[in-house]
């Protein structure tokens, strides 16, 4: 659901914000495999940075970092369950939120390569009943993929009790709880987005990030493949990448080892509430996937190496435009891919959140460094009277972890490609 932003080479999660210093509840050490950390640093530095995120207030955090030399570091710190003290482990499954969008975009590009979808064709050519009239003629498939369609996000309308944001007295968690087991249809959610006032003109810059776009892309995949979008993405992208722990959920429960997911919503939920059991029909092909940090690194390595889509399709995915994220910041967005600039080079990938869980996965442009990180607390920042989320120690601890994971020790430079 949320976006990653960069400023002067510094990465921070936006909208992934909540408050409550849960780190004091349970204190556990960082666990890590014996494999060395990629690059010039030892495993200790990454472990210390990971532990710092837990100590700053995240109940549990786990990660994997890889380099092109085949070296992999895995680590975990904190707890998967605050009630029992069950520890997190590096191989846990996670609801990865909008990281799903890269998978959906890759599936669309696979159909472009087969000639069944044209990137610059109007979406009304394929789905006239969903996007009729002039809107359907003006909005193209590409505009859905890079969020320049102007179709607003449906989430505020699917969760109406949160519409008072950022005024906590005018909000409640009622719709969060009412929707826990609710089965939404994609058409229902798409209609909510299309019925709202347009976010911008089709094709306007900057674009406006919207989950509605990716539900429409799911319907598009179904129209041209004759099967469900989830089944097609599974067969033609997930299995093609050789991923064994990545899947769309078939019910409200996560199969396999996973952490509980604690949502604070800027202090609305105090203490944070566990939403690990949840019907993910409210996100579908936009943000419903479950995966592991190992699978995410494998997926982005394969995608950026031209093993999922062709090199020409990958070039289309990496053509970015400015897009306004859900927090109002501007990001560089391609076709289901973020471009993120750091002190050690350009990275590609995506981040995402759902209620209580946040994930980020980034791979350096030369493929020689990868990072995937998961946390089980969301929206931890307190909101002031003006509605501005206030800084929290978790913010700095995550930035330090990301920087160490992607770039190694301060002052180091990326290894040359080739």
């Amino acid at each position: 659901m949320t976006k990653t932003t960069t400023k002067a080479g510094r990465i921070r999660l936006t909208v992934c914000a909540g408050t409550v210093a849960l780190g004091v509840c349970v204190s556990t050490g960082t666990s890590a495999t014996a494999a060395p950390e990629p690059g010039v640093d030892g495993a200790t530095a990454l472990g210390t940075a990971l532990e710092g995120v837990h100590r700053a207030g995240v109940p549990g955090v786990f990660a994997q970092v890889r380099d092109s030399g085949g070296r992999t570091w895995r680590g975990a710190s904190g707890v998967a369950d605050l009630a029992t003290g069950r520890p997190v482990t590096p191989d846990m499954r996670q609801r990865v939120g909008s990281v799903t969008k890269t998978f959906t975009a890759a599936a669309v590009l696979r159909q472009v390569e087969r000639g069944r979808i044209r990137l610059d064709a109007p979406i009304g050519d394929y789905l006239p009943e969903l996007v009729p009239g002039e809107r359907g003629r003006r909005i193209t498939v590409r505009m859905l993929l890079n969020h320049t369609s102007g179709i607003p996000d449906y989430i505020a309308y699917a969760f109406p009790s949160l519409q008072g944001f950022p005024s906590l007295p005018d909000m409640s968690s009622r719709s969060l709880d009412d929707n826990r087991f609710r089965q939404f249809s994609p058409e229902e959610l798409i209609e909510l987005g299309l019925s709202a006032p347009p976010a911008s003109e089709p094709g306007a810059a900057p674009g406006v990030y919207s989950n509605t776009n990716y539900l429409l892309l799911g319907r598009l995949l179904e129209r041209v493949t004759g099967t469900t979008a989830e089944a097609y993405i599974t067969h033609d992208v997930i299995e093609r990448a050789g991923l064994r722990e990545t899947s769309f959920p078939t019910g409200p429960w996560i199969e396999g080892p996973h952490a509980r997911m604690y949502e604070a919503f800027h202090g609305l939920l105090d203490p944070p509430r566990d939403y690990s059991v949840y019907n993910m029909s409210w996100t579908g092909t936009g943000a419903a996937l479950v995966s592991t940090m190992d699978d995410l690194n494998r997926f982005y390595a394969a995608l950026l190496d031209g093993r999922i889509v062709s090199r020409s399709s990958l070039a289309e995915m990496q053509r970015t435009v400015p897009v306004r994220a859900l927090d109002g910041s501007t990001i560089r967005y391609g076709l289901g891919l973020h471009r993120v600039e750091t002190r050690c080079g350009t990275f590609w990938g995506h981040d995402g959140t759902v209620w209580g869980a946040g994930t980020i996965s980034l791979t350096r442009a030369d493929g020689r460094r990868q990072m995937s990180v998961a946390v089980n607390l969301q929206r931890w920042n307190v909101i002031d009277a003006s509605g501005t989320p206030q800084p929290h120690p978790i913010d700095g601890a995550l930035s330090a972890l990301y920087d160490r994971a992607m770039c190694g020790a301060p002052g180091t430079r990326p290894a040359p490609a080739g």
Side-chain angles (χ1 to χ4, degrees):
M1 275 167 44
T2 64
K3 313 277 64 61
T4 302
T5 62
T6 60
K7 288 187 178 180
R10 179 171 56 88
I11 294 183
R12 61 185 178 89
L13 281 185
T14 65
V15 189
C16 306
T19 181
V20 166
L22 293 173
V24 299
C25 299
V26 183
S27 180
T28 66
T30 299
S31 62
T33 65
E37 174 192 355
V40 298
D41 300 316
T44 301
L46 269 174
T48 299
L50 197 74
E51 175 71 9
V53 175
H54 168 54
R55 291 186 180 278
V58 173
V61 52
F62 49 103
Q64 185 192 84
V65 180
R66 301 174 67 188
D67 75 359
S68 60
R71 293 174 294 181
T72 300
W73 177 91
R74 303 174 183 88
S77 181
V79 296
D81 188 329
L82 286 167
T84 66
R86 175 171 58 94
V88 287
T89 60
D91 58 351
M92 281 185 160
R93 304 189 83 205
Q94 171 87 341
R95 297 199 193 275
V96 299
S98 284
V99 175
T100 305
K101 289 180 172 64
T102 310
F103 288 77
T104 299
V108 171
L109 268 294
R110 294 275 298 163
Q111 287 297 300
V112 171
E113 292 169 6
R114 290 176 170 88
R116 296 172 181 166
I117 295 175
R118 291 177 293 119
L119 280 177
D120 295 307
I123 189 60
D125 287 359
Y126 302 99
L127 302 172
E129 74 286 1
L130 287 181
V131 195
E134 182 182 2
R135 214 174 193 181
R137 292 189 294 270
R138 296 183 63 193
I139 295 172
T140 66
V141 174
R142 186 189 300 275
M143 291 175 191
L144 297 175
L145 286 161
N146 67 12
H147 296 295
T148 58
S149 72
I151 301 173
D153 203 310
Y154 62 80
I155 290 182
Y157 306 97
F159 294 88
S161 71
L162 303 178
Q163 288 182 5
F165 180 84
S167 173
L168 291 183
D170 295 325
M171 293 192 296
S172 81
S173 62
R174 179 175 177 177
S175 53
L176 276 175
D177 299 319
D178 287 348
N179 290 345
R180 186 187 287 268
F181 296 105
R182 179 176 175 179
Q183 182 68 32
F184 285 99
S185 71
E187 289 80 5
E188 177 183 4
L189 297 171
I190 289 167
E191 178 60 26
L192 289 176
L194 289 170
S195 298
S200 66
E201 287 293 311
V208 179
Y209 188 89
S210 172
N211 287 283
T212 313
N213 293 324
Y214 274 74
L215 292 192
L216 279 165
L217 291 168
R219 297 291 93 175
L220 172 62
L221 285 171
E222 294 192 356
R223 180 62 52 88
V224 300
T225 65
T227 186
T228 66
E230 290 82 359
Y232 174 68
I233 294 168
T234 298
H235 170 71
D236 216 37
V237 177
I238 294 172
E239 293 178 358
R240 184 179 181 84
L243 310 183
R244 297 184 177 181
E245 301 294 334
T246 301
S247 61
F248 285 96
T250 57
W253 292 273
I254 303 174
E255 297 181 2
H258 63 278
R260 294 191 179 276
M261 298 158 40
Y262 298 102
E263 179 61 49
F265 209 90
H266 307 291
L268 179 67
L269 300 173
D270 185 11
R273 191 170 300 162
D274 171 24
Y275 285 112
S276 53
V277 176
Y278 214 94
N279 185 322
M280 297 305 292
S281 63
W282 68 277
T283 61
T285 49
L289 271 181
V290 173
S291 189
T292 63
M293 301 307 99
D294 182 65
D295 263 13
L296 292 185
N297 279 341
R298 291 179 184 275
F299 168 68
Y300 281 108
L303 178 68
L304 297 174
D305 193 40
R307 289 180 276 129
I308 305 298
V309 300
S310 68
R311 290 288 181 181
S312 60
S313 293
L314 180 60
E316 292 286 356
M317 295 182 74
Q318 293 179 314
R319 289 176 57 187
T320 65
V321 296
V323 168
R324 191 167 69 247
L326 297 179
D327 71 324
S329 62
T330 299
I331 59 176
R332 298 298 307 187
Y333 201 91
L335 308 186
L337 279 175
H338 286 239
R339 189 180 78 197
V340 178
E341 300 298 335
T342 75
R343 66 179 174 87
C344 60
T346 299
F347 281 72
W348 293 94
H350 217 291
D351 71 323
T353 77
V354 292
W355 307 124
T359 309
I360 184 169
S361 185
L362 296 172
T363 295
R364 206 167 71 193
D366 62 7
R368 296 176 65 86
R369 189 84 167 193
Q370 293 189 279
M371 170 199 80
S372 291
V373 178
V375 295
N376 66 345
L377 174 69
Q378 283 303 286
R379 283 159 281 275
W380 49 79
N381 299 85
V382 174
I383 298 176
D384 67 12
S386 69
T388 303
Q390 296 303 290
H392 190 284
I394 292 173
D395 306 328
L398 278 173
S399 290
L401 172 61
Y402 299 154
D403 183 77
R404 174 68 68 168
M406 290 188 290
C407 300
T412 59
R413 295 180 178 274

